[in-house]
Amino acid sequence: GAVVSQHPSRVICKSGTSVKIECRSLDFQATTMFWYRQFPKQSLMLMATSNEGSKATYEQGVEKDKFLINHASLTLSTLTVTSAHPEDSSFYICSARGLEPSLEGEQFFGPGTRLTVL
Amino acid sequence: GQNIDQPTEMTATEGAIVQINCTYQTSGFNGLFWYQQHAGEAPTFLSYNVLDGLEEKGRFSSFLSRSKGYSYLLLKELQMKDSASYLCAAMDSNYQLIWGAGTKLIIKP
């Protein structure tokens, strides 16, 4: 099956620093990757959609200068949280959609990254 | 607007059957997904329905009625490991997933 990895799985940082999260599709080429944020006991909130080689499309209310997304290749997308603050502490999950999905539009999820900003 | 509704929490007994309902309103429709999410983990895919009817996969089945904007996930022979949140997501005309808030399923012995 399609496997998506995320690194790191957990990160703790000081307020004001930047954190980079990597999302990789390990055994398929992902034309589209999605970045989600999930606060405790809430559903997934789509932050942005990125297509390989083009700028990401951000959802309303998500600051693109704060959450930098780079989808440089068909297997890698990165999310950088710049100048992180405690309110950015959350569970960040990426998902990927392949060139030839087994199901139309199916997304394969990474294991998530738990970010804690002190 | 686009909206997904599902119950917040349900409780069931080990070995029993439980049905989790989901209603949706989307701009266009390209299918309905069910995901399972254990606490602190990413969602895992359970089922996909795009045509009306029941899809059975082992202990789990999923039903869709497009005319009613309604789906349910049926879990049989419940096991303690089935305790998790179950997320309903509808895909709109742009192939974007619209997510429900999730149903927390509590299994009691």
mmCIF file of all heavy atoms in Angstrom, chain A residues 65-87:
data_model
loop_
_atom_site.group_PDB
_atom_site.id
_atom_site.type_symbol
_atom_site.label_atom_id
_atom_site.label_comp_id
_atom_site.label_asym_id
_atom_site.label_seq_id
_atom_site.Cartn_x
_atom_site.Cartn_y
_atom_site.Cartn_z
ATOM 1 N N ASP A 65 2.571 33.429 5.134
ATOM 2 C CA ASP A 65 3.921 33.847 5.513
ATOM 3 C C ASP A 65 4.381 33.191 6.806
ATOM 4 O O ASP A 65 5.577 33.184 7.113
ATOM 5 C CB ASP A 65 3.979 35.368 5.672
ATOM 6 C CG ASP A 65 3.755 36.084 4.358
ATOM 7 O OD1 ASP A 65 4.107 35.496 3.308
ATOM 8 O OD2 ASP A 65 3.225 37.205 4.366
ATOM 9 N N LYS A 66 3.441 32.662 7.543
ATOM 10 C CA LYS A 66 3.785 31.994 8.796
ATOM 11 C C LYS A 66 3.979 30.492 8.572
ATOM 12 O O LYS A 66 4.830 29.874 9.184
ATOM 13 C CB LYS A 66 2.693 32.218 9.835
ATOM 14 C CG LYS A 66 2.987 31.546 11.161
ATOM 15 C CD LYS A 66 2.024 31.978 12.229
ATOM 16 C CE LYS A 66 2.385 31.305 13.529
ATOM 17 N NZ LYS A 66 3.729 31.710 14.012
ATOM 18 N N PHE A 67 3.175 29.938 7.716
ATOM 19 C CA PHE A 67 3.238 28.509 7.416
ATOM 20 C C PHE A 67 3.716 28.347 5.970
ATOM 21 O O PHE A 67 2.926 28.367 5.032
ATOM 22 C CB PHE A 67 1.866 27.849 7.611
ATOM 23 C CG PHE A 67 1.345 27.942 9.015
ATOM 24 C CD1 PHE A 67 0.420 28.917 9.369
ATOM 25 C CD2 PHE A 67 1.797 27.062 9.994
ATOM 26 C CE1 PHE A 67 -0.056 29.011 10.674
ATOM 27 C CE2 PHE A 67 1.324 27.144 11.297
ATOM 28 C CZ PHE A 67 0.398 28.124 11.646
ATOM 29 N N LEU A 68 5.042 28.198 5.850
ATOM 30 C CA LEU A 68 5.645 28.119 4.521
ATOM 31 C C LEU A 68 5.621 26.681 4.020
ATOM 32 O O LEU A 68 6.094 25.780 4.702
ATOM 33 C CB LEU A 68 7.088 28.634 4.570
ATOM 34 C CG LEU A 68 7.269 30.068 5.071
ATOM 35 C CD1 LEU A 68 8.747 30.408 5.127
ATOM 36 C CD2 LEU A 68 6.528 31.052 4.180
ATOM 37 N N ILE A 69 5.088 26.493 2.833
ATOM 38 C CA ILE A 69 4.994 25.153 2.265
ATOM 39 C C ILE A 69 5.789 25.100 0.966
ATOM 40 O O ILE A 69 5.662 25.957 0.110
ATOM 41 C CB ILE A 69 3.528 24.771 2.015
ATOM 42 C CG1 ILE A 69 2.818 24.604 3.359
ATOM 43 C CG2 ILE A 69 3.430 23.491 1.185
ATOM 44 C CD1 ILE A 69 1.327 24.394 3.248
ATOM 45 N N ASN A 70 6.608 24.048 0.874
ATOM 46 C CA ASN A 70 7.407 23.814 -0.317
ATOM 47 C C ASN A 70 7.180 22.387 -0.786
ATOM 48 O O ASN A 70 7.353 21.451 -0.025
ATOM 49 C CB ASN A 70 8.897 24.037 0.019
ATOM 50 C CG ASN A 70 9.767 23.972 -1.215
ATOM 51 O OD1 ASN A 70 9.697 23.031 -1.997
ATOM 52 N ND2 ASN A 70 10.594 24.973 -1.404
ATOM 53 N N HIS A 71 6.780 22.245 -2.032
ATOM 54 C CA HIS A 71 6.546 20.906 -2.601
ATOM 55 C C HIS A 71 7.504 20.771 -3.780
ATOM 56 O O HIS A 71 7.112 20.890 -4.932
ATOM 57 C CB HIS A 71 5.081 20.802 -3.037
ATOM 58 C CG HIS A 71 4.641 19.410 -3.370
ATOM 59 N ND1 HIS A 71 3.305 19.061 -3.425
ATOM 60 C CD2 HIS A 71 5.325 18.286 -3.653
ATOM 61 C CE1 HIS A 71 3.192 17.788 -3.742
ATOM 62 N NE2 HIS A 71 4.411 17.288 -3.884
ATOM 63 N N ALA A 72 8.781 20.523 -3.445
ATOM 64 C CA ALA A 72 9.853 20.611 -4.433
ATOM 65 C C ALA A 72 9.936 19.405 -5.362
ATOM 66 O O ALA A 72 10.467 19.492 -6.463
ATOM 67 C CB ALA A 72 11.190 20.786 -3.715
ATOM 68 N N SER A 73 9.427 18.271 -4.912
ATOM 69 C CA SER A 73 9.507 17.071 -5.741
ATOM 70 C C SER A 73 8.234 16.267 -5.587
ATOM 71 O O SER A 73 7.380 16.587 -4.755
ATOM 72 C CB SER A 73 10.710 16.223 -5.345
ATOM 73 O OG SER A 73 10.452 15.528 -4.130
ATOM 74 N N LEU A 74 8.107 15.212 -6.370
ATOM 75 C CA LEU A 74 6.899 14.382 -6.324
ATOM 76 C C LEU A 74 6.856 13.475 -5.101
ATOM 77 O O LEU A 74 5.891 12.740 -4.911
ATOM 78 C CB LEU A 74 6.790 13.535 -7.601
ATOM 79 C CG LEU A 74 6.328 14.288 -8.846
ATOM 80 C CD1 LEU A 74 6.444 13.402 -10.075
ATOM 81 C CD2 LEU A 74 4.890 14.776 -8.698
ATOM 82 N N THR A 75 7.897 13.534 -4.267
ATOM 83 C CA THR A 75 7.896 12.685 -3.071
ATOM 84 C C THR A 75 8.115 13.466 -1.787
ATOM 85 O O THR A 75 8.144 12.870 -0.713
ATOM 86 C CB THR A 75 8.973 11.594 -3.181
ATOM 87 O OG1 THR A 75 10.254 12.218 -3.331
ATOM 88 C CG2 THR A 75 8.711 10.658 -4.349
ATOM 89 N N LEU A 76 8.262 14.776 -1.867
ATOM 90 C CA LEU A 76 8.586 15.539 -0.658
ATOM 91 C C LEU A 76 7.866 16.880 -0.621
ATOM 92 O O LEU A 76 7.885 17.651 -1.582
ATOM 93 C CB LEU A 76 10.101 15.786 -0.576
ATOM 94 C CG LEU A 76 10.585 16.713 0.542
ATOM 95 C CD1 LEU A 76 10.305 16.090 1.910
ATOM 96 C CD2 LEU A 76 12.073 17.002 0.381
ATOM 97 N N SER A 77 7.247 17.133 0.513
ATOM 98 C CA SER A 77 6.685 18.459 0.796
ATOM 99 C C SER A 77 7.121 18.841 2.207
ATOM 100 O O SER A 77 7.227 17.974 3.075
ATOM 101 C CB SER A 77 5.154 18.453 0.717
ATOM 102 O OG SER A 77 4.614 19.703 1.081
ATOM 103 N N THR A 78 7.403 20.114 2.421
ATOM 104 C CA THR A 78 7.797 20.565 3.755
ATOM 105 C C THR A 78 6.890 21.704 4.208
ATOM 106 O O THR A 78 6.439 22.520 3.394
ATOM 107 C CB THR A 78 9.253 21.049 3.791
ATOM 108 O OG1 THR A 78 9.406 22.141 2.880
ATOM 109 C CG2 THR A 78 10.213 19.939 3.420
ATOM 110 N N LEU A 79 6.627 21.693 5.501
ATOM 111 C CA LEU A 79 5.876 22.764 6.148
ATOM 112 C C LEU A 79 6.801 23.390 7.177
ATOM 113 O O LEU A 79 7.319 22.688 8.046
ATOM 114 C CB LEU A 79 4.628 22.216 6.840
ATOM 115 C CG LEU A 79 3.904 23.164 7.804
ATOM 116 C CD1 LEU A 79 3.268 24.313 7.043
ATOM 117 C CD2 LEU A 79 2.844 22.410 8.608
ATOM 118 N N THR A 80 7.044 24.700 7.062
ATOM 119 C CA THR A 80 7.857 25.407 8.039
ATOM 120 C C THR A 80 6.972 26.370 8.813
ATOM 121 O O THR A 80 6.338 27.241 8.216
ATOM 122 C CB THR A 80 9.009 26.185 7.361
ATOM 123 O OG1 THR A 80 9.820 25.266 6.627
ATOM 124 C CG2 THR A 80 9.865 26.887 8.399
ATOM 125 N N VAL A 81 6.930 26.162 10.124
ATOM 126 C CA VAL A 81 6.202 27.076 11.000
ATOM 127 C C VAL A 81 7.208 28.130 11.438
ATOM 128 O O VAL A 81 8.151 27.827 12.181
ATOM 129 C CB VAL A 81 5.622 26.336 12.222
ATOM 130 C CG1 VAL A 81 4.809 27.297 13.087
ATOM 131 C CG2 VAL A 81 4.767 25.149 11.773
ATOM 132 N N THR A 82 7.051 29.345 10.958
ATOM 133 C CA THR A 82 8.017 30.402 11.270
ATOM 134 C C THR A 82 7.598 31.171 12.517
ATOM 135 O O THR A 82 6.400 31.357 12.774
ATOM 136 C CB THR A 82 8.142 31.380 10.093
ATOM 137 O OG1 THR A 82 6.865 32.006 9.876
ATOM 138 C CG2 THR A 82 8.573 30.662 8.830
ATOM 139 N N SER A 83 8.600 31.561 13.297
ATOM 140 C CA SER A 83 8.356 32.321 14.522
ATOM 141 C C SER A 83 7.196 31.709 15.309
ATOM 142 O O SER A 83 6.158 32.342 15.550
ATOM 143 C CB SER A 83 8.059 33.782 14.174
ATOM 144 O OG SER A 83 7.981 34.569 15.344
ATOM 145 N N ALA A 84 7.401 30.467 15.688
ATOM 146 C CA ALA A 84 6.323 29.716 16.347
ATOM 147 C C ALA A 84 5.959 30.323 17.699
ATOM 148 O O ALA A 84 6.824 30.833 18.428
ATOM 149 C CB ALA A 84 6.756 28.264 16.520
ATOM 150 N N HIS A 85 4.684 30.252 18.038
ATOM 151 C CA HIS A 85 4.174 30.718 19.322
ATOM 152 C C HIS A 85 3.383 29.588 19.973
ATOM 153 O O HIS A 85 2.964 28.641 19.288
ATOM 154 C CB HIS A 85 3.301 31.953 19.120
ATOM 155 C CG HIS A 85 4.076 33.155 18.696
ATOM 156 N ND1 HIS A 85 4.849 33.888 19.578
ATOM 157 C CD2 HIS A 85 4.231 33.737 17.485
ATOM 158 C CE1 HIS A 85 5.430 34.884 18.922
ATOM 159 N NE2 HIS A 85 5.075 34.810 17.653
ATOM 160 N N PRO A 86 3.148 29.688 21.267
ATOM 161 C CA PRO A 86 2.428 28.608 21.961
ATOM 162 C C PRO A 86 1.092 28.238 21.310
ATOM 163 O O PRO A 86 0.706 27.062 21.317
ATOM 164 C CB PRO A 86 2.237 29.177 23.371
ATOM 165 C CG PRO A 86 3.434 30.043 23.566
ATOM 166 C CD PRO A 86 3.673 30.695 22.223
ATOM 167 N N GLU A 87 0.406 29.187 20.723
ATOM 168 C CA GLU A 87 -0.891 28.884 20.093
ATOM 169 C C GLU A 87 -0.743 28.048 18.819
ATOM 170 O O GLU A 87 -1.741 27.550 18.284
ATOM 171 C CB GLU A 87 -1.670 30.163 19.785
ATOM 172 C CG GLU A 87 -0.944 31.150 18.900
ATOM 173 C CD GLU A 87 -0.216 32.225 19.695
ATOM 174 O OE1 GLU A 87 0.228 31.933 20.835
ATOM 175 O OE2 GLU A 87 -0.088 33.342 19.156
#
